[in-house]
Amino acid sequence: QVQLVESGGGLVKPGGSLRLSCAASGFTFSDYYMSWIRQAPGKGLEWVSCISSSGTPISYADSVKGRFTISRDNAKNSLYLQMNSLRAEDTAVYYCVIDRGAVAGDYFEHWGQGTLVTVSS
Amino acid sequence: QSALTQPPSASGSPGQSVTISCTGTSSDVGGYNYVSWYQQHPGKAPKLMIYEVSKRPSGVPDRFSGSKSGNTASLTVSGLQAEDEADYYCTSYAGRNNLLFGGGTKLTVL
């Protein structure tokens, strides 16, 4: 069955960096767009970034543009999110999701369990 | 662009029907048939319940249905059950590189 397992979260100081990984299995990873979606503690969901099945095109939410970089390695069935210049407002659970449908962001069929990123001094 | 507007809470008794609204604009909900709904239980990842306004993924009970009228999409849960108590989020495509989420609705089964 489809599995998405995130890792790499943790506590980091403001201005610091962190790299999230998502290991995918149970489906043909290279066939699908993938996205990162985050949820701040006690808050709603926020789309962060999306990457096509081949690696381009890529898109970002305005709130992370220029600071975060999404990438993927289809040979390793893995999705990544490099997060630089982290701010307190980036504190959230980050979910790796399969982006399905006719357009990027149409719907998110499968979600990982999430990894918590805490930005605090 | 602003988030989609959902009521913060909704409730119903077991067996009843409840409808949750999701209001946007002609640039998002009203402009595309790419509205989806997610259910989230406390401490769990969201689960897809409805996609492309009214389509139901396999495994989702037919008690869950979606619709849209103008700039407002709706999720209806019929025959409420205790396990339906959760947070529900709507999303809508809003053009290239733009995806909006609603603020979420906490559904309580009385």
Side-chain angles (χ1 to χ4, degrees):
Chain A
Q1 74 280 19
V2 172
Q3 276 204 312
L4 299 168
V5 180
E6 302 94 336
S7 61
L11 175 63
V12 61
K13 289 182 168 51
S17 298
L18 215 52
R19 189 194 195 208
L20 305 184
S21 299
C22 171
S25 60
F27 65 105
T28 306
F29 181 72
S30 58
D31 283 351
Y32 294 96
Y33 278 52
M34 298 292 295
S35 285
W36 289 97
I37 292 172
R38 68 184 181 183
Q39 186 171 34
K43 303 295 185 182
L45 300 166
E46 179 188 17
W47 169 77
V48 173
S49 182
C50 173
I51 185 168
S52 73
S53 53
S54 65
T56 55
I58 283 172
S59 54
Y60 298 98
D62 287 344
S63 57
V64 306
K65 202 173 294 183
R67 300 187 298 122
F68 289 12
T69 302
I70 191 172
S71 62
R72 65 190 296 159
D73 185 334
N74 286 343
K76 293 183 178 179
N77 291 340
S78 293
L79 177 72
Y80 306 102
L81 186 68
Q82 177 67 42
M83 304 185 295
N84 298 331
S85 302
L86 282 162
R87 307 166 179 167
E89 53 265 36
D90 296 319
T91 294
V93 173
Y94 285 72
Y95 293 102
C96 166
V97 300
I98 301 176
D99 195 331
R100 295 291 308 277
V103 297
D106 184 350
Y107 62 97
F108 304 109
E109 187 175 35
H110 295 282
W111 298 61
Q113 85 289 350
T115 187
L116 176 63
V117 172
T118 303
V119 184
S120 174
S121 53
Chain B
Q1 206 157 349
S2 301
L4 306 175
T5 299
Q6 295 182 236
S9 63
S11 63
S13 299
Q16 288 187 331
S17 292
V18 171
T19 297
I20 298 171
S21 62
C22 171
T23 301
T25 69
S26 57
S27 297
D28 38 73
V29 174
Y32 306 95
N33 287 325
Y34 299 130
V35 175
S36 53
W37 290 89
Y38 301 86
Q39 176 193 65
Q40 186 178 35
H41 288 109
K44 301 293 187 182
K47 175 187 175 183
L48 177 67
M49 304 302 285
I50 295 288
Y51 68 100
E52 292 174 358
V53 177
S54 60
K55 298 177 182 177
R56 207 170 35 248
S58 62
V60 172
D62 59 7
R63 303 185 293 103
F64 291 85
S65 62
S67 63
K68 189 182 83 167
S69 178
N71 297 335
T72 298
S74 299
L75 172 72
T76 298
V77 186
S78 305
L80 267 177
Q81 299 183 4
E83 60 261 35
D84 299 334
E85 185 162 297
D87 293 327
Y88 290 84
Y89 294 92
C90 63
T91 74
S92 175
Y93 180 77
R96 201 168 77 90
N97 300 336
N98 200 359
L99 175 72
L100 301 179
F101 275 97
T105 297
K106 182 176 180 59
L107 175 60
T108 300
V109 180
L110 301 170

